[in-house]
Amino acid sequence: MKKLIIMIVLILGVGNAQAQTIRNTNNSVLATIDSNGDVRNSNNSLVAKINSNGEIRDSNNHYLGKIDGRTVRNSNNSTLGYIESDGTVRNSSNSLLGRVYDDGSVRDSNNHCIGYAKGVPMKYAAIFFFFNLK
């Protein structure tokens, strides 16, 4: 549940009708994201939504933050970090947090696999795994 809201971001830009899945290293479903931008947890409960302008809102429509280009911002508009075009994820101090690879695997700064997001846009997977927008 701790990163449940973060998964909201993953919805942005998802254009097909089939829900895309975020999984942990045991291949268990953490979240699904549908074409409407709805993010649901493993119990199919709505936890967040991503709007077309990059705003991330929880299930009660409270503003949590925004993805603005490659910059991730919280609800106070403070920069949390950056997502580079190759999937590298850095915090606001430019320290490496990890990377999202083209095959959907997600690795931390020590190169340990922490999950999978095949078919999910890279920047949305990065937000889910590396930034807590609660």
Side-chain angles (χ1 to χ4, degrees):
M1 194 93 168
K2 67 179 182 175
K3 294 196 177 184
L4 207 47
I5 295 180
I6 296 177
M7 69 180 80
I8 297 175
V9 178
L10 301 174
I11 289 182
L12 268 179
V14 175
N16 60 28
Q18 186 174 356
Q20 296 176 333
T21 306
I22 303 291
R23 297 180 180 273
N24 65 15
T25 56
N26 294 324
N27 209 30
S28 297
V29 174
L30 298 175
T32 59
I33 302 164
D34 69 22
S35 61
N36 294 324
D38 294 340
V39 178
R40 297 183 180 276
N41 64 16
S42 60
N43 295 322
N44 203 35
S45 297
L46 181 68
V47 294
K49 184 165 183 97
I50 300 297
N51 296 320
S52 60
N53 65 358
E55 286 185 356
I56 304 163
R57 296 187 175 269
D58 68 14
S59 60
N60 294 315
N61 204 34
H62 295 117
Y63 180 73
L64 300 175
K66 184 173 186 170
I67 186 163
D68 184 15
R70 68 178 203 100
T71 304
V72 179
R73 300 182 185 280
N74 66 14
S75 61
N76 296 319
N77 204 34
S78 297
T79 299
L80 296 176
Y82 308 94
I83 305 164
E84 298 173 9
S85 60
D86 68 351
T88 300
V89 182
R90 298 186 180 279
N91 67 16
S92 60
S93 300
N94 208 34
S95 295
L96 178 67
L97 297 177
R99 186 169 177 193
V100 179
Y101 290 86
D102 290 336
D103 67 357
S105 63
V106 183
R107 296 185 172 270
D108 65 15
S109 61
N110 294 314
N111 204 31
H112 296 115
C113 186
I114 58 173
Y116 304 95
K118 187 170 182 159
V120 175
M122 192 179 293
K123 63 183 173 180
Y124 308 135
I127 291 170
F128 179 82
F129 283 101
F130 297 107
F131 298 106
N132 190 342
L133 295 177
K134 289 185 189 180

